[in-house]
Amino acid sequence: MKEILKEKCDLLVANRNAIKGSFKFEYNVSCAIASLLCCSKDKKADTDKIKECKKIIKNKTSMLSNFRGNIFFTTATVLSLNDNPEKLMDDINDVYKMLKDKGFNGSEFLGLAAIIIAQTLDQFEPERIAGKAFKIYKSIKLKHKFLTSSDDYAFTVMLAMNDKTVEEIVEEAERCYLELKKDLLSGNAVQSLSHVLAMDEKNYEEKCHKVTMIYNKLRDKGYKFGKGSELVTLGVLEMIDCDIDELVENIAETDEYIKKFTGFGMSIGKQQRLMYASTLAAYCYIDSIKSIESDIVISNSMINVLMTAQMAAISAGAAAAAAASSSAN
């Protein structure tokens, strides 16, 4: 294993242990994702600052705010990684309102979209991005009425940061979707994957072929991506400019290494751990991404993927608990 990758793995494990130690009742998936967010900035988790940021969120939002739901802990982690968390939370609230004014419906996923825009105010004009994002969302919705919903909000925001027109972006995403659906079948996850690929400037056939190659090579080594939200990770891996066999080997080595540690073994599924391993590998290759600003691609795409997976896992856990309670009665 490369030294830089081992360092990322060790930081992930150390961060997870520190976070879980300070937030014992937090969901395991939330702790893992918070740890990955800290790793994305090469930082140790500051649990005291996360606690302070939870207070900031409570002070700056209403009791029923979407920022106090499933994304509460992750939002606090994002704030803790910023030098001025109070201002960032103010910006997030302002952007959230702006997105609603443009036509989006309030939700936790819209909160995620607001977080993404608020962290790029020095690079993009927020009102323009919000307006363009809603146009992209409406256009995609027309093509895929039943597949497109609030979980696409953050992807449309990232797509809006591209210099292409709305029509060009939507058509590129559609080409990728139709090409990938031949092999990967899963409708909703493939649509999300196509959104990430639409950010890359390469030809759609080239992009889709590379995704399929990565997927198949990992599967052949015994590491199979699921057909849920974790599939979107392949979109970020596709943008990495390196030898595919080397990338696959790094992901496999990372998976084998982290599964020995508490929180990354039997307590999580193989597909979720593979998503974490792929994320760590992607962080190590961040400088190789050429098509658009690498920090935007890696950080925002992975935050979106991870938080979507987090909410899905929490929702599934809640549904299972409710079913168990119902059967017991």
Side-chain angles (χ1 to χ4, degrees), residues 45-253:
D46 187 337
T47 55
D48 288 335
K49 192 172 181 181
I50 293 174
K51 291 175 183 177
E52 287 301 313
C53 289
K54 290 177 74 173
K55 293 178 183 177
I56 290 173
I57 297 170
K58 288 182 178 180
N59 289 337
K60 293 181 178 291
T61 61
S62 66
M63 184 70 72
L64 299 178
S65 169
N66 283 305
F67 291 104
R68 296 202 195 187
N70 288 333
I71 65 171
F72 181 36
F73 191 72
T74 307
T75 303
T77 304
V78 170
L79 294 179
S80 77
L81 296 169
N82 190 274
D83 293 335
N84 193 343
E86 292 210 27
K87 183 182 183 303
L88 178 57
M89 192 64 221
D90 286 336
D91 290 340
I92 290 170
N93 280 328
D94 290 344
V95 173
Y96 184 83
K97 182 179 183 302
M98 186 186 299
L99 287 165
K100 289 183 69 176
D101 289 343
K102 294 297 181 182
F104 287 105
N105 294 321
S107 70
E108 291 174 332
F109 287 105
L110 192 66
L112 170 56
I115 291 171
I116 290 173
I117 295 178
Q119 293 186 96
T120 58
L121 295 182
D122 60 333
Q123 296 165 291
F124 300 100
E125 201 287 304
E127 189 156 357
R128 183 185 69 82
I129 296 300
K132 185 177 179 182
F134 188 66
K135 290 177 182 178
I136 293 172
Y137 177 77
K138 294 295 286 184
S139 296
I140 294 172
K141 184 80 170 174
L142 285 174
K143 290 181 177 291
H144 301 285
K145 181 178 180 180
F146 299 108
L147 288 181
T148 310
S149 62
S150 60
D151 60 357
D152 294 296
Y153 285 173
F155 287 117
T156 63
V157 162
M158 288 187 288
L159 287 168
M161 294 175 181
N162 193 292
D163 290 334
K164 294 178 182 177
T165 66
V166 170
E167 292 74 19
E168 289 171 336
I169 290 168
V170 172
E171 286 306 313
E172 179 65 12
E174 182 67 7
R175 283 191 286 267
C176 292
Y177 172 77
L178 293 174
E179 185 70 19
L180 287 169
K181 201 170 184 299
K182 299 174 186 176
D183 297 313
L184 300 180
L185 302 178
S186 175
N188 192 50
V190 168
Q191 176 173 267
S192 297
L193 173 56
S194 71
H195 294 163
V196 177
L197 292 178
M199 299 179 218
D200 194 352
E201 297 296 332
K202 293 194 287 291
N203 174 273
Y204 81 95
E205 291 180 322
E206 180 184 351
K207 291 184 288 190
C208 294
H209 177 64
K210 187 173 180 181
V211 163
T212 303
M213 283 185 66
I214 296 171
Y215 177 89
N216 289 337
K217 284 178 177 292
L218 280 168
R219 182 197 59 193
D220 292 345
K221 290 178 73 70
Y223 304 92
K224 185 177 180 181
F225 269 98
K227 296 299 178 68
S229 57
E230 66 276 0
L231 192 68
V232 185
T233 315
L234 289 167
V236 177
L237 296 177
E238 182 279 327
M239 296 181 193
I240 295 171
D241 184 19
C242 72
D243 179 76
I244 293 179
D245 289 327
E246 175 191 305
L247 175 63
V248 168
E249 185 62 31
N250 284 336
I251 293 171
E253 288 182 355

